[in-house]
Amino acid sequence: MVVCVAENINIMSKTIGAAIKERQAKPIQDMARDITRAGADYLDLNIGPARKGGDETMDWLVKTVREVTDLPLSLDTSNPAAIEAGLKANSGVSLINSISLQPERLEALLPMAVKYNADMIGLLWSQEGMPRDANERAAHCVDIVYKANEAGIPTEKIWIDPIATPISMDINQVLAGLEFMSMLLEIAPGAKSIVGLSNISNGTPHDLRHYINRCYLIMLMKYGIYSAIVDGYDEELLTIAKGGMVEIVNLVHGMMDGNEPASKDLSPKELEYYKTARVLMGKTLYSHSWLTV
Ligand code: THG
């Protein structure tokens, strides 16, 4: 079972963005109810950089969502004051999204995680920017767990995020994320993990994005991924996360073990996952038409 953090309440969305700016509760509450019913485990509340008035915005958003759901909340903004406003306003469980290795983030946010007894996402992003490979991710991971422990946060409350990037940009980063996941248990025993699945399919034609997200989730599950940031409206993805579609999961995991299925024997659904897994494993070059070739 993979813990599903729904990404849908975010300021980049046209309807939700406008509703947040105009303090219209209804579209947000309707969505929060829908996603709760669909089986999400957490709601990510993403208000972006929120430089001006972010604290008021997060306070309002948390209270608005709280009226219709008891789900734990992931507070997603780069404004630390807005994170704290969310932690104060939330009567339930909070996850800080996120704390990177940038000194000012560590300094501002680690004490908040302790004070409000919140879990934290440890984002493997440093002063030098994006990690280049699995080894750099491993080094950052050790660093952030050490610093968080030192501040009084137990490893069990740290959700490590290796940072997923679009497959249309660089397959090697996708592979590095997977390789890192295969190492995490040894690097940081007891730490949790989280990956933003939709990051991978950013830049992929809209109606095809779900194929990539679902297949990448299955691949991460091979290494025991703890949670994923997901589209809460993607039923098939939630089914996979909750332990369903076992045959498809076994097919993809078998491919990762080097078992090449006879593609002429595959059903259309299996073929869809087979082709997508080949792209995500770096065996077929990504192109927008990967499903039809
Ligand atoms: N790790 C962590 N936090 C994260 C991410 C991560 N927060 C932000 C992001 N990545 C996860 N959230 C989203 C939210 C929306 C989309 C992708 C990731 C998205 N939206 C559609 C689009 O832009 O085309 C549609 C927007 C809409 O209309 O709703 O792709 O990796 N820790």
Short mmCIF file of all heavy atoms in Angstrom, two decimals, residues 235-268:
data_model
loop_
_atom_site.label_atom_id
_atom_site.label_comp_id
_atom_site.label_asym_id
_atom_site.label_seq_id
_atom_site.Cartn_x
_atom_site.Cartn_y
_atom_site.Cartn_z
N GLU A 235 -8.31 7.18 -10.96
CA GLU A 235 -8.79 5.98 -10.24
C GLU A 235 -7.85 4.80 -10.40
O GLU A 235 -7.61 4.06 -9.45
CB GLU A 235 -10.19 5.58 -10.75
CG GLU A 235 -11.29 6.48 -10.23
CD GLU A 235 -12.65 6.10 -10.81
OE1 GLU A 235 -12.86 4.91 -11.12
OE2 GLU A 235 -13.49 7.01 -10.95
N GLU A 236 -7.34 4.62 -11.63
CA GLU A 236 -6.47 3.47 -11.86
C GLU A 236 -5.19 3.57 -11.03
O GLU A 236 -4.71 2.59 -10.47
CB GLU A 236 -6.14 3.35 -13.36
CG GLU A 236 -5.41 2.06 -13.72
CD GLU A 236 -5.45 1.76 -15.22
OE1 GLU A 236 -6.50 1.97 -15.87
OE2 GLU A 236 -4.41 1.35 -15.74
N LEU A 237 -4.69 4.78 -10.93
CA LEU A 237 -3.48 5.01 -10.13
C LEU A 237 -3.74 4.68 -8.66
O LEU A 237 -2.94 4.03 -7.99
CB LEU A 237 -3.02 6.46 -10.27
CG LEU A 237 -1.70 6.77 -9.58
CD1 LEU A 237 -0.55 6.41 -10.48
CD2 LEU A 237 -1.60 8.21 -9.18
N LEU A 238 -4.88 5.13 -8.15
CA LEU A 238 -5.22 4.86 -6.75
C LEU A 238 -5.42 3.36 -6.52
O LEU A 238 -5.03 2.82 -5.49
CB LEU A 238 -6.46 5.66 -6.33
CG LEU A 238 -6.09 7.12 -5.99
CD1 LEU A 238 -7.12 8.12 -6.47
CD2 LEU A 238 -5.87 7.28 -4.50
N THR A 239 -5.99 2.69 -7.51
CA THR A 239 -6.17 1.23 -7.41
C THR A 239 -4.81 0.54 -7.27
O THR A 239 -4.62 -0.33 -6.42
CB THR A 239 -6.90 0.70 -8.67
OG1 THR A 239 -8.17 1.33 -8.74
CG2 THR A 239 -7.09 -0.80 -8.60
N ILE A 240 -3.87 0.94 -8.11
CA ILE A 240 -2.52 0.36 -8.04
C ILE A 240 -1.90 0.65 -6.67
O ILE A 240 -1.34 -0.24 -6.02
CB ILE A 240 -1.62 0.94 -9.16
CG1 ILE A 240 -2.12 0.48 -10.53
CG2 ILE A 240 -0.16 0.55 -8.94
CD1 ILE A 240 -1.55 1.25 -11.70
N ALA A 241 -2.03 1.90 -6.22
CA ALA A 241 -1.42 2.30 -4.94
C ALA A 241 -1.99 1.49 -3.78
O ALA A 241 -1.30 1.21 -2.80
CB ALA A 241 -1.63 3.79 -4.71
N LYS A 242 -3.27 1.10 -3.90
CA LYS A 242 -3.93 0.37 -2.80
C LYS A 242 -3.75 -1.14 -2.93
O LYS A 242 -4.44 -1.92 -2.28
CB LYS A 242 -5.42 0.72 -2.75
CG LYS A 242 -5.73 2.20 -2.56
CD LYS A 242 -5.19 2.73 -1.24
CE LYS A 242 -5.15 4.26 -1.25
NZ LYS A 242 -4.41 4.85 -0.15
N GLY A 243 -2.89 -1.57 -3.84
CA GLY A 243 -2.57 -3.00 -3.92
C GLY A 243 -3.32 -3.76 -5.00
O GLY A 243 -3.27 -4.99 -5.04
N GLY A 244 -4.02 -3.05 -5.90
CA GLY A 244 -4.76 -3.72 -6.98
C GLY A 244 -3.92 -3.94 -8.22
O GLY A 244 -2.72 -3.64 -8.24
N MET A 245 -4.54 -4.48 -9.26
CA MET A 245 -3.91 -4.73 -10.57
C MET A 245 -2.59 -5.51 -10.43
O MET A 245 -1.56 -5.17 -11.04
CB MET A 245 -3.69 -3.40 -11.30
CG MET A 245 -5.02 -2.75 -11.62
SD MET A 245 -4.91 -1.22 -12.54
CE MET A 245 -4.07 -1.75 -14.03
N VAL A 246 -2.67 -6.57 -9.66
CA VAL A 246 -1.47 -7.34 -9.32
C VAL A 246 -0.75 -7.90 -10.55
O VAL A 246 0.48 -7.92 -10.60
CB VAL A 246 -1.86 -8.48 -8.34
CG1 VAL A 246 -0.65 -9.34 -8.02
CG2 VAL A 246 -2.44 -7.89 -7.07
N GLU A 247 -1.54 -8.32 -11.55
CA GLU A 247 -0.90 -8.92 -12.74
C GLU A 247 -0.04 -7.91 -13.49
O GLU A 247 1.05 -8.23 -13.97
CB GLU A 247 -1.94 -9.54 -13.66
CG GLU A 247 -2.42 -10.87 -13.10
CD GLU A 247 -3.57 -11.47 -13.88
OE1 GLU A 247 -3.77 -11.08 -15.05
OE2 GLU A 247 -4.25 -12.33 -13.30
N ILE A 248 -0.58 -6.69 -13.59
CA ILE A 248 0.18 -5.63 -14.27
C ILE A 248 1.43 -5.29 -13.45
O ILE A 248 2.53 -5.13 -14.00
CB ILE A 248 -0.71 -4.36 -14.44
CG1 ILE A 248 -1.86 -4.64 -15.41
CG2 ILE A 248 0.12 -3.17 -14.86
CD1 ILE A 248 -1.48 -4.66 -16.87
N VAL A 249 1.26 -5.20 -12.15
CA VAL A 249 2.41 -4.90 -11.28
C VAL A 249 3.48 -5.97 -11.45
O VAL A 249 4.67 -5.67 -11.60
CB VAL A 249 1.95 -4.79 -9.80
CG1 VAL A 249 3.16 -4.68 -8.86
CG2 VAL A 249 1.04 -3.58 -9.62
N ASN A 250 3.06 -7.24 -11.47
CA ASN A 250 4.02 -8.34 -11.63
C ASN A 250 4.71 -8.29 -13.00
O ASN A 250 5.90 -8.60 -13.10
CB ASN A 250 3.34 -9.69 -11.44
CG ASN A 250 2.97 -9.93 -9.98
OD1 ASN A 250 3.52 -9.29 -9.09
ND2 ASN A 250 2.02 -10.84 -9.73
N LEU A 251 3.95 -7.92 -14.02
CA LEU A 251 4.54 -7.81 -15.37
C LEU A 251 5.68 -6.79 -15.36
O LEU A 251 6.79 -7.08 -15.84
CB LEU A 251 3.45 -7.38 -16.38
CG LEU A 251 3.95 -7.01 -17.77
CD1 LEU A 251 4.30 -8.26 -18.57
CD2 LEU A 251 2.92 -6.18 -18.54
N VAL A 252 5.42 -5.60 -14.81
CA VAL A 252 6.43 -4.53 -14.82
C VAL A 252 7.61 -4.90 -13.91
O VAL A 252 8.77 -4.73 -14.29
CB VAL A 252 5.80 -3.19 -14.40
CG1 VAL A 252 6.87 -2.11 -14.25
CG2 VAL A 252 4.74 -2.75 -15.42
N HIS A 253 7.31 -5.46 -12.75
CA HIS A 253 8.41 -5.86 -11.85
C HIS A 253 9.26 -6.97 -12.48
O HIS A 253 10.48 -6.98 -12.33
CB HIS A 253 7.85 -6.29 -10.49
CG HIS A 253 7.35 -5.15 -9.68
ND1 HIS A 253 6.84 -5.28 -8.42
CD2 HIS A 253 7.27 -3.82 -9.96
CE1 HIS A 253 6.48 -4.09 -7.94
NE2 HIS A 253 6.72 -3.19 -8.87
N GLY A 254 8.60 -7.86 -13.20
CA GLY A 254 9.34 -8.92 -13.91
C GLY A 254 10.27 -8.32 -14.95
O GLY A 254 11.43 -8.72 -15.08
N MET A 255 9.79 -7.32 -15.69
CA MET A 255 10.64 -6.64 -16.68
C MET A 255 11.86 -6.02 -16.00
O MET A 255 12.97 -6.06 -16.53
CB MET A 255 9.85 -5.55 -17.41
CG MET A 255 8.81 -6.09 -18.39
SD MET A 255 7.75 -4.76 -19.04
CE MET A 255 8.91 -3.85 -20.07
N MET A 256 11.64 -5.46 -14.80
CA MET A 256 12.76 -4.84 -14.08
C MET A 256 13.78 -5.90 -13.63
O MET A 256 14.95 -5.59 -13.42
CB MET A 256 12.23 -4.04 -12.87
CG MET A 256 11.41 -2.83 -13.28
SD MET A 256 10.54 -2.07 -11.89
CE MET A 256 11.88 -1.15 -11.12
N ASP A 257 13.31 -7.14 -13.48
CA ASP A 257 14.22 -8.24 -13.13
C ASP A 257 14.87 -8.86 -14.37
O ASP A 257 15.58 -9.86 -14.26
CB ASP A 257 13.45 -9.34 -12.37
CG ASP A 257 13.14 -8.94 -10.94
OD1 ASP A 257 13.91 -8.13 -10.37
OD2 ASP A 257 12.12 -9.41 -10.40
N GLY A 258 14.54 -8.31 -15.53
CA GLY A 258 15.17 -8.81 -16.75
C GLY A 258 14.33 -9.83 -17.52
O GLY A 258 14.83 -10.41 -18.49
N ASN A 259 13.10 -10.06 -17.08
CA ASN A 259 12.24 -11.00 -17.82
C ASN A 259 11.53 -10.28 -18.96
O ASN A 259 10.72 -9.39 -18.72
CB ASN A 259 11.17 -11.62 -16.92
CG ASN A 259 11.78 -12.30 -15.72
OD1 ASN A 259 12.87 -12.87 -15.82
ND2 ASN A 259 11.10 -12.23 -14.59
N GLU A 260 11.85 -10.63 -20.17
CA GLU A 260 11.24 -9.99 -21.33
C GLU A 260 10.00 -10.78 -21.74
O GLU A 260 10.11 -11.93 -22.18
CB GLU A 260 12.26 -9.97 -22.47
CG GLU A 260 11.81 -9.29 -23.75
CD GLU A 260 11.50 -7.81 -23.57
OE1 GLU A 260 11.92 -7.18 -22.57
OE2 GLU A 260 10.83 -7.27 -24.46
N PRO A 261 8.79 -10.22 -21.57
CA PRO A 261 7.59 -10.95 -21.97
C PRO A 261 7.48 -10.98 -23.49
O PRO A 261 8.02 -10.11 -24.16
CB PRO A 261 6.45 -10.15 -21.35
CG PRO A 261 6.98 -8.77 -21.22
CD PRO A 261 8.48 -8.88 -21.06
N ALA A 262 6.80 -11.98 -24.02
CA ALA A 262 6.55 -12.03 -25.46
C ALA A 262 5.44 -11.02 -25.76
O ALA A 262 4.30 -11.22 -25.37
CB ALA A 262 6.13 -13.43 -25.86
N SER A 263 5.80 -9.92 -26.43
CA SER A 263 4.83 -8.82 -26.53
C SER A 263 3.62 -9.20 -27.38
O SER A 263 2.56 -8.61 -27.26
CB SER A 263 5.50 -7.55 -27.07
OG SER A 263 6.09 -7.78 -28.31
N LYS A 264 3.74 -10.24 -28.21
CA LYS A 264 2.56 -10.63 -29.01
C LYS A 264 1.49 -11.32 -28.14
O LYS A 264 0.35 -11.42 -28.54
CB LYS A 264 2.98 -11.53 -30.18
CG LYS A 264 3.54 -12.88 -29.78
CD LYS A 264 3.67 -13.78 -31.01
CE LYS A 264 4.37 -15.11 -30.74
NZ LYS A 264 4.07 -15.77 -29.48
N ASP A 265 1.86 -11.79 -26.96
CA ASP A 265 0.89 -12.44 -26.06
C ASP A 265 0.19 -11.47 -25.12
O ASP A 265 -0.64 -11.86 -24.32
CB ASP A 265 1.59 -13.51 -25.20
CG ASP A 265 2.19 -14.61 -26.04
OD1 ASP A 265 1.73 -14.79 -27.18
OD2 ASP A 265 3.14 -15.27 -25.56
N LEU A 266 0.55 -10.20 -25.17
CA LEU A 266 0.03 -9.26 -24.18
C LEU A 266 -1.32 -8.69 -24.57
O LEU A 266 -1.59 -8.44 -25.75
CB LEU A 266 1.04 -8.12 -23.97
CG LEU A 266 2.43 -8.53 -23.45
CD1 LEU A 266 3.35 -7.31 -23.36
CD2 LEU A 266 2.33 -9.22 -22.09
N SER A 267 -2.19 -8.47 -23.58
CA SER A 267 -3.47 -7.79 -23.80
C SER A 267 -3.19 -6.31 -24.07
O SER A 267 -2.09 -5.83 -23.79
CB SER A 267 -4.35 -7.93 -22.56
OG SER A 267 -3.80 -7.16 -21.50
N PRO A 268 -4.18 -5.58 -24.60
CA PRO A 268 -3.96 -4.14 -24.86
C PRO A 268 -3.51 -3.39 -23.61
O PRO A 268 -2.60 -2.56 -23.68
CB PRO A 268 -5.33 -3.66 -25.33
CG PRO A 268 -5.99 -4.87 -25.91
CD PRO A 268 -5.49 -6.04 -25.11
#
